[in-house]
Amino acid sequence: MSLASQTLIVTPTYNERKNIGELIEKLFAIDSDYHLLVVDDNSPDGTADLVEELGNTNPNIHLMKRSEKLGLGTAYIAGFKYAVEKGFDCVVQMDADMSHNPDDVPRLISEISENDLVLGSRYSTGVNVVNWPIRRLIMSYSANLYSRIVTGLPVKDATGGFKCWRREVLDAIDLDGVK
């Protein structure tokens, strides 16, 4: 069994109908064995409807519909719990807005065999962000610079949401206690 078939990619959505189809297409073009869990916070634009429609033709597309906008952090926690419950070995978290490059997913996964957590970074080789307003980019970059200075953390993208986790790490975290 390939690692890709034991990989769950978790992506929270709220009004991502214009992006989710492209993300799904790109991920499954890279490897059709991936599993994708879309955690939708009751998007008024019909994101969940599109995901459901695409899932009718691809059993590796999973949808978790939530009744209201509960936020990004709780969406990831719900996705992690799902991954642990279903026994996936590898969990990738990524945003649906295409700010994380689907082409980088295999690189994250390839590193997980020797690491417990792999971080994708928008800033390791300068600024590599597309489709962001300049204000959001400046705020993100400044927050990360501040984090490095204050904490001494050697990570350039501490606020990033592009990560790959080993299931054993998620098993060891009290996900219900995360705030």
Side-chain angles (χ1 to χ4, degrees):
M1 190 179 311
S2 73
L3 184 55
S5 68
Q6 288 301 304
T7 296
L8 178 69
I9 301 166
V10 177
T11 186
T13 57
Y14 185 77
N15 286 342
E16 294 292 349
R17 185 179 179 96
K18 70 179 191 293
N19 300 318
I20 196 66
E22 179 183 2
L23 177 66
I24 289 170
E25 182 181 324
K26 286 186 176 193
L27 286 171
F28 288 110
I30 293 166
D31 197 318
S32 61
D33 284 338
Y34 291 148
H35 286 260
L36 174 69
L37 173 64
V38 175
V39 182
D40 187 72
D41 275 0
N42 199 23
S43 296
D45 72 347
T47 301
D49 296 333
L50 178 57
V51 171
E52 205 163 43
E53 182 182 314
L54 295 169
N56 288 333
T57 59
N58 185 336
N60 288 5
I61 297 173
H62 313 276
L63 175 63
M64 183 183 294
K65 289 186 195 179
R66 302 195 314 167
S67 60
E68 61 185 310
K69 189 172 183 184
L70 299 172
L72 187 65
T74 63
Y76 278 126
I77 295 298
F80 295 161
K81 287 180 179 180
Y82 179 95
V84 168
E85 178 185 306
K86 301 292 184 184
F88 287 96
D89 292 333
C90 177
V91 182
V92 174
Q93 70 176 76
M94 68 185 299
D95 294 344
D97 66 0
M98 301 302 290
S99 62
H100 302 141
N101 186 349
D103 292 333
D104 290 330
V105 170
R107 287 185 14 201
L108 293 178
I109 294 169
S110 73
E111 294 293 327
I112 204 65
S113 62
E114 296 180 21
N115 299 283
D116 292 330
L117 173 64
V118 180
L119 306 176
S121 176
R122 300 165 287 193
Y123 306 119
S124 60
T125 58
V127 178
N128 297 304
V129 180
V130 294
N131 302 325
W132 271 17
I134 191 72
R135 185 177 196 195
R136 181 177 176 191
L137 179 61
I138 290 169
M139 188 168 58
S140 172
Y141 189 81
S142 299
N144 280 289
L145 179 61
Y146 176 79
S147 303
R148 281 198 315 276
I149 291 169
V150 170
T151 67
L153 190 67
V155 174
K156 291 186 178 181
D157 196 359
T159 64
F162 195 28
K163 299 178 178 84
C164 184
W165 303 78
R166 222 186 256 233
R167 184 186 66 226
E168 293 85 359
V169 173
L170 296 174
D171 274 333
I173 297 171
D174 175 14
L175 293 172
D176 289 324
V178 174
K179 301 283 182 228

